[in-house]
Amino acid sequence: MRRWRSWDRNGQLGILNGWGVFVGDGFLNVTVVVAGFASKLGAPNWVIGLLPAIAGGGWMLPQLLVAARVRSLPYKLPVYRSAALVRTLTYLAMVLIAAFLANQPALCLTLFILAMLLNSLASGVAGLPFLEVISKTVSPERRPRFFGTRNLYGGLLAFGAGLIVRWILGSDLEFPLNYALIFALGTAAFTFGYWIFGRVTEPPDPPQEAQGYRAEFRAIPETLRDPHFRAFLSVRLLLAGASMSDPFFAVYALRVLDFPPAILGAFVMALTGAAPLSNIVWQRVAERKGSRRIIRYASVFYGLAPLYAALVGVLGLGKWAYLGVFMLTSVAAQGFNLGHTNHLLNIAPPTARSRYIGTLNTLVGAALFTPVLGGLIADRFGYYPVFAISLILCAAAWWKCGELRRDA
């Protein structure tokens, strides 16, 4: 635990927060566990595609408005704490909805999605203050190691969550209580993570003049004039479009390949088990090559996932071979988490950091609703066209990475 002892109190709290969030994500993984729950309720593909769209898009869309609110605040943590309370309450609502309303699938799905939407919007409110606090408490040269340590041990703990998911779904506990229990465990982990980060000692920002929401929107063209920001935005938009396949890897396995429901736990284990080792590699790449190279390499792994999923189905390679799909997406996701955050914080001027974060996430958030389009395509033409489109968009993102700032 030498890495742990090398951090000050704020760094340790930030790392513990990540561990709680990683475990929570293991239990409430939208593209595997929640998608499996919706599939069990008989949801059409476009509804299943809506789930990660809400989780990702809802997190990003409000951030330009949040930037206008938090810019002039010397302390950002109070905003984070308020949003975290809302998130905890909505997770509790999901547990109750799953436990008591599954016998009415339409009502259950509707209320569950509404709770997810509120949760996701609250996460968008918390996301920008979180990054602001991290940027103030972790120096730029230590950020790759911070996120690497955070993700490494968080991934190991989340692997245990996957084991528990597999055990619960393979046990005699009947639907929907099995999923309600999984969601309850995820709620407990998330609550711990939010509480621990709320204890960070935040240094105050120098006073800044409040500009309001209109000023933030009027400043978007000015932000877009930065060529480094435009290049990064292009890559993020292409990768957001490529995410249309994500919720259908698990559904394809359940509905087309006829894998048993307990395999969802193995999918979570593959996602989380591949994360620690890949984080070690990505951290070294970040320290030696920079964030641009990470994003480019991660785009390759992301594009290979839908191609591999299609090949496993066509060749009939079986459920254990299919775990490679989630290993590929996990390796890519860890690379993106490290590369995207570092790149954005490094290209954003300190006085305009909130604006850069808010503008990027708001614009990319709209593109994250492409899984809904993917669901409509899957309902009409099957899953293979969705996988093909994702592969093409990943290839385009890899090419556009050549325009990213090399020293960021």
Side-chain angles (χ1 to χ4, degrees):
M1 294 294 287
R2 287 178 57 191
R3 290 187 177 193
W4 172 260
R5 291 194 297 270
S6 69
W7 293 101
D8 61 14
R9 177 179 178 275
N10 282 339
Q12 290 175 350
L13 292 175
I15 291 169
L16 282 172
N17 161 263
W19 296 357
V21 169
F22 267 83
V23 173
D25 281 335
F27 287 117
L28 274 154
N29 186 282
V30 175
T31 59
V32 177
V33 180
V34 178
F37 174 67
S39 178
K40 184 74 173 178
L41 290 172
N45 282 317
W46 73 267
V47 172
I48 294 173
L50 185 62
L51 300 175
I54 288 174
W59 184 84
M60 290 184 166
L61 285 173
Q63 293 203 16
L64 192 61
L65 300 177
V66 177
R69 175 70 179 90
V70 305
R71 176 187 299 278
S72 61
L73 299 177
Y75 296 100
K76 276 66 175 180
L77 265 178
V79 178
Y80 174 90
R81 294 189 189 108
S82 299
L85 176 60
V86 174
R87 296 198 72 191
T88 298
L89 294 175
T90 54
Y91 280 128
L92 288 171
M94 291 181 206
V95 174
L96 296 174
I97 291 166
F100 296 108
L101 295 178
N103 59 337
Q104 303 176 65
L107 178 62
C108 182
L109 274 173
T110 301
L111 293 179
F112 194 92
I113 288 173
L114 288 175
M116 273 192 66
L117 177 60
L118 182 57
N119 180 284
S120 184
L121 292 172
S123 74
V125 173
L128 194 146
F130 171 82
L131 287 177
E132 286 275 16
V133 173
I134 292 298
S135 67
K136 289 194 287 182
T137 56
V138 181
S139 61
E141 62 272 12
R142 300 201 76 188
R143 283 175 198 154
R145 183 169 293 275
F146 169 82
F147 285 110
T149 302
R150 190 175 186 265
N151 296 347
L152 170 63
Y153 296 106
L156 291 172
L157 291 170
F159 183 84
L163 282 171
I164 295 172
V165 169
R166 186 183 177 195
W167 175 75
I168 292 174
L169 292 180
S171 71
D172 294 331
L173 189 63
E174 295 183 354
F175 179 85
L177 294 181
N178 50 0
Y179 279 96
L181 176 58
I182 292 169
F183 297 159
L185 293 171
T187 299
F190 276 126
T191 301
F192 168 79
Y194 302 152
W195 171 75
I196 207 72
F197 192 76
R199 299 181 63 200
V200 167
T201 302
E202 178 189 6
D205 280 325
Q208 293 190 49
E209 182 181 353
Q211 298 187 16
Y213 303 125
R214 292 183 180 180
E216 292 294 336
F217 281 103
R218 286 198 298 266
I220 291 178
E222 177 185 346
T223 305
L224 291 174
R225 280 195 286 270
D226 181 343
H228 302 302
F229 180 83
R230 288 201 309 272
F232 187 47
L233 175 63
S234 298
V235 172
R236 291 296 309 273
L237 288 173
L238 287 168
L239 292 172
S243 71
M244 69 164 57
S245 290
D246 289 357
F248 304 113
F249 292 139
V251 176
Y252 172 71
L254 294 174
R255 291 182 170 177
V256 177
L257 303 183
D258 201 28
F259 292 166
I263 197 66
L264 295 179
F267 292 166
V268 174
M269 291 165 61
L271 281 169
T272 55
L277 179 60
S278 65
N279 265 301
I280 295 173
V281 177
W282 288 132
Q283 182 180 322
R284 292 179 179 176
V285 174
E287 293 171 344
R288 297 177 184 178
K289 302 291 185 179
S291 57
R292 169 184 169 272
R293 196 68 65 88
I294 289 180
I295 299 169
R296 193 162 213 181
Y297 292 164
S299 299
V300 175
F301 286 100
Y302 203 36
L304 288 175
L307 175 63
Y308 184 78
L311 288 176
V312 171
V314 170
L315 300 177
L317 298 181
K319 60 184 179 182
W320 300 117
Y322 198 76
L323 296 181
V325 176
F326 297 93
M327 293 179 183
L328 287 167
T329 57
S330 178
V331 170
Q334 301 313 310
F336 291 145
N337 287 341
L338 184 58
H340 288 166
T341 303
N342 279 327
H343 197 83
L344 179 57
L345 293 179
N346 289 339
I347 67 174
T351 57
R353 192 168 50 222
S354 292
R355 179 180 299 155
Y356 269 59
I357 295 171
T359 300
L360 179 88
N361 288 340
T362 299
L363 295 176
V364 173
L368 286 175
F369 281 83
T370 53
V372 180
L373 174 61
L376 293 172
I377 294 172
D379 283 331
R380 181 72 181 272
F381 303 105
Y383 296 100
Y384 294 129
V386 180
F387 296 163
I389 294 171
S390 291
L391 174 61
I392 293 169
L393 290 174
C394 284
W398 176 88
W399 179 72
K400 289 293 289 185
C401 281
E403 300 177 8
L404 296 179
R405 202 175 91 184
R406 294 175 182 268
D407 62 342

